[in-house]
């Protein structure tokens, strides 16, 4: 059933740099109806037809708002109101697919996740998938909420046995829900193999399912789905010559970022001087945190013999990251915050073949990778290799 949407056209402020006028067939209009009284404006962000990042804001007037722009294909857009956090789970933020043409969206304050969209074929198809997952998500939600709460307690510094065991217990309780959701998603990909959004859905499982499984579902996508942005990203993971993964014997991809103190750190600066152990971790990763005492022992044992450590965190909460470094006394070596999304994370994931953490990569003085290790144990391969090199 179609709804009647009244709207008022406003001049929009748009943070676009170097964008060009879109062709008429590329233009979109997004009419919106807003339910709520505490929000004065709606913001959206997306990549336009020229691959320029756009951040746009429209005032709400008489419960309506409007956006105009240009995209050449279905494109993800973030819609948000008065958000309280940067989390994707914020109740005043959601993501939908827009595409050329006229679309309508109905949004309710503090309930953006249940926005109703009309006019976007890709979003309509994605909505059918979300309906299939609704019951599972409803059962998962209270467990996920409890898990988020205990993680917050942990991030604030309480790393007691009670808290860590509770966090691990809740994580395990979430696994069956994740499995059921994965099954629904992958069945959707097979059923709608020619849909643009199927590549988007499958892309979520890059690094979460085996390479063989990823290839199985990718090969069932139509050429249209394979050749959109999300299909190409999957292909980069599957085709070795398009994504050189940092493996033993290869030259380590360069690193150039600012550390926890704001100092510029380059992997190149260690060349000819020291061996480097890259430590990919996060404060929310219990196996990572459990390895920290062994990591400290490695540093204390080998730092004077020519080894340094660079810890690269996938934390999305800077305070939690800094608290764990301080609490576990890890500040003797270099720390860099990559984050769990964004350009920096994507680059490391692709160049270093980062699929799980913890991950330790040992690099020699010439910048060549010696080995990749997923744990540190007394009789494990990493300590054996360090013993061979330094003793």
């Amino acid at each position: 059933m179609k709804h009647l949407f009244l709207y008022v056209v406003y001049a929009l402020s748009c943070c676009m740099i170097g964008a060009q006028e879109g062709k008429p067939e590329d233009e979109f209009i997004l009419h919106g109806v807003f339910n709520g009284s505490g929000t004065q404006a709606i913001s959206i962000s997306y990549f336009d037809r020229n691959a320029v990042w756009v951040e746009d804001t429209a005032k709400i007037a008489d419960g309506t708002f409007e956006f105009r722009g240009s995209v050449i294909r279905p494109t993800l857009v973030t819609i948000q109101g008065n958000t309280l956090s940067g989390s994707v789970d914020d109740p005043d933020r959601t993501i939908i697919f827009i595409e050329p043409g006229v679309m309508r969206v109905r949004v309710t304050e503090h309930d953006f996740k249940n926005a109703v969209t009309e006019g976007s074929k890709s979003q309509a198809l994605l909505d059918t998938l979300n309906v299939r997952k609704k019951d599972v998500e409803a059962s998962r939600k209270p467990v996920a909420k409890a898990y988020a709460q205990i993680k917050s307690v942990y991030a604030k510094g309480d790393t007691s046995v009670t808290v860590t065991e509770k966090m691990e217990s809740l994580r395990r309780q979430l696994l069956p829900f994740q499995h059921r959701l994965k099954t629904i998603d992958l069945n959707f990909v097979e059923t709608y193999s020619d849909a643009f959004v199927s590549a988007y859905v499958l892309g979520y499982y890059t690094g979460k399912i085996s390479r063989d499984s990823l290839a199985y579902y990718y090969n069932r996508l139509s050429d249209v789905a394979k050749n959109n942005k999300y299909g190409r990203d999957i292909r980069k993971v599957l085709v070795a010559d398009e994504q050189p993964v940092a493996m033993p014997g290869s030259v380590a991809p360069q690193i150039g970022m600012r550390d926890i103190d704001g100092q510029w750190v380059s992997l190149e600066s260690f060349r000819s001087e020291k061996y480097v152990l890259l430590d990919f971790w996060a404060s929310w990763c219990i196996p990572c945190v459990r390895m920290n005492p062994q990591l400290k022992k490695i540093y204390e044992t080998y730092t004077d013999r020519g080894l340094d450590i660079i810890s690269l965190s996938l934390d999305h909460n800077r305070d939690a990251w800094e608290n764990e470094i301080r609490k576990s006394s890890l500040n003797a070596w270099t720390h860099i915050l990559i984050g769990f999304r964004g350009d920096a994370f994507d680059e490391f994931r692709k160049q270093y073949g980062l699929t799980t953490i913890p991950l330790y990569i040992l690099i020699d003085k010439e910048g060549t990778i010696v080995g990749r290790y997923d744990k540190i144990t007394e009789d494990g391969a990493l300590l054996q290799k360090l013993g061979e090199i330094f003793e």
Side-chain angles (χ1 to χ4, degrees):
M1 178 178 180
K2 294 185 177 179
H3 301 280
L4 178 64
F5 284 72
L6 300 176
Y7 63 94
V8 179
V9 179
Y10 279 86
L12 306 177
S13 62
C14 181
C15 302
M16 300 172 61
I17 301 175
Q20 302 173 2
E21 291 296 324
K23 299 177 182 178
E25 63 268 24
D26 298 336
E27 293 176 353
F28 74 82
I29 303 175
L30 181 63
H31 300 308
V33 167
F34 185 80
N35 298 317
S37 59
T39 303
Q40 305 303 313
I42 298 294
S43 298
I44 66 172
S45 53
Y46 62 98
F47 283 103
D48 74 359
R49 66 182 304 276
N50 299 302
V52 174
W53 182 248
V54 175
E55 295 179 351
D56 203 353
T57 300
K59 292 181 179 179
I60 299 171
D62 297 327
T64 67
F65 58 89
E66 179 185 293
F67 291 98
R68 293 173 180 257
S70 62
V71 293
I72 59 176
R73 61 180 64 88
T75 301
L76 276 180
V77 59
T78 298
I79 303 178
Q80 60 186 42
N82 292 339
T83 55
L84 298 177
S85 71
S87 170
V88 294
D89 295 323
D90 192 294
D92 286 294
R93 177 184 290 112
T94 193
I95 298 174
I96 65 170
F97 270 100
I98 61 172
E99 53 195 43
V102 179
M103 294 157 290
R104 297 174 175 81
V105 62
R106 182 181 295 275
V107 182
T108 299
E109 194 170 43
H110 309 319
D111 191 27
F112 276 47
K113 295 294 186 290
N114 289 313
V116 177
T117 306
E118 296 179 3
S120 169
K121 294 179 181 177
S122 295
Q123 185 59 40
L125 194 54
L126 202 57
D127 287 343
T128 66
L129 173 61
N130 291 332
V131 168
R132 295 181 185 183
K133 299 194 290 186
K134 186 175 181 180
D135 290 343
V136 180
E137 288 285 13
S139 299
R140 186 191 71 89
K141 189 173 181 178
V143 182
K145 182 178 180 180
Y147 182 58
Q149 290 173 339
I150 199 71
K151 277 179 64 178
S152 176
V153 172
Y154 181 89
K156 291 176 181 177
D158 187 348
T159 58
S160 63
V161 173
T162 300
V163 169
T164 54
E165 288 184 348
K166 180 64 173 177
M167 189 160 60
E168 178 64 11
S169 173
L170 288 167
R171 186 189 70 82
R172 291 182 180 277
Q173 290 178 47
L174 285 171
L175 294 178
F177 296 114
Q178 293 168 354
H179 177 74
R180 291 165 64 189
L181 292 171
K182 179 178 69 175
T183 299
I184 295 171
D185 281 339
L186 296 181
N187 285 340
F188 174 89
V189 170
E190 281 201 289
T191 303
Y192 298 97
S193 59
D194 60 342
F196 187 99
V197 295
S198 288
Y200 166 73
V201 174
L202 181 58
Y204 173 79
Y205 291 97
T206 300
K208 294 181 173 66
I209 59 177
S210 70
R211 186 183 184 282
D212 288 344
S213 293
L214 185 66
Y216 171 88
Y217 290 103
Y218 172 79
N219 288 332
R220 276 151 181 75
L221 295 176
S222 68
D223 288 342
V224 172
K226 287 179 179 176
N227 290 320
N228 68 34
K229 174 189 181 301
Y230 306 104
R232 292 195 302 271
D233 285 345
I234 296 170
R235 185 169 183 271
K236 289 177 182 178
V237 174
L238 296 173
V239 181
D241 62 355
E242 289 191 5
Q243 184 201 330
V245 175
M247 299 300 289
S250 66
V251 176
Q254 279 305 309
I255 293 174
M257 294 184 71
R258 297 198 179 278
D259 67 7
I260 194 171
D261 299 316
Q263 301 299 311
W264 185 259
V265 176
S266 170
L267 190 57
E268 182 69 23
S269 65
F270 293 89
R271 185 72 64 89
S272 302
E273 298 292 332
K274 289 186 174 184
Y275 277 75
V276 176
L277 181 64
L278 301 182
D279 159 40
F280 291 94
W281 76 298
S283 68
W284 46 260
C285 168
I286 294 177
C288 301
V289 173
R290 287 175 178 168
M291 293 292 161
N292 283 337
Q294 290 93 322
L295 198 62
K296 286 175 61 179
K297 186 176 180 180
I298 287 175
Y299 184 81
E300 293 165 357
T301 302
Y302 296 109
T303 183
D304 292 335
R305 305 185 198 183
L307 175 73
D308 215 330
I309 297 176
I310 301 177
S311 287
L312 301 122
S313 172
L314 273 61
D315 272 287
H316 45 71
N317 184 312
R318 187 179 182 90
D319 289 339
W321 172 56
E322 293 182 346
N323 287 341
E324 183 59 38
I325 292 171
R326 182 170 53 253
K327 182 177 62 208
S328 297
S329 301
L330 307 176
N331 52 358
W333 59 84
T334 301
H335 289 270
I336 295 174
L337 181 62
I338 299 174
F340 197 61
R341 58 177 62 88
D343 292 342
F345 170 73
D346 287 342
E347 193 66 20
F348 276 102
R349 179 178 60 81
K350 293 174 183 177
Q351 291 193 340
Y352 278 92
L354 185 61
T355 58
T356 59
I357 55 174
L359 173 65
Y360 308 97
I361 297 179
L362 182 61
I363 304 169
D364 70 15
K365 293 181 180 181
E366 303 307 315
T368 300
I369 294 175
V370 176
R372 297 169 63 100
Y373 314 91
D374 60 1
K375 58 187 174 183
I376 307 172
T377 57
E378 289 297 331
D379 58 350
L382 175 56
L383 291 185
Q384 288 182 4
K385 178 56 69 174
L386 291 173
E388 293 172 8
I389 294 170
F390 295 106
E391 296 177 5

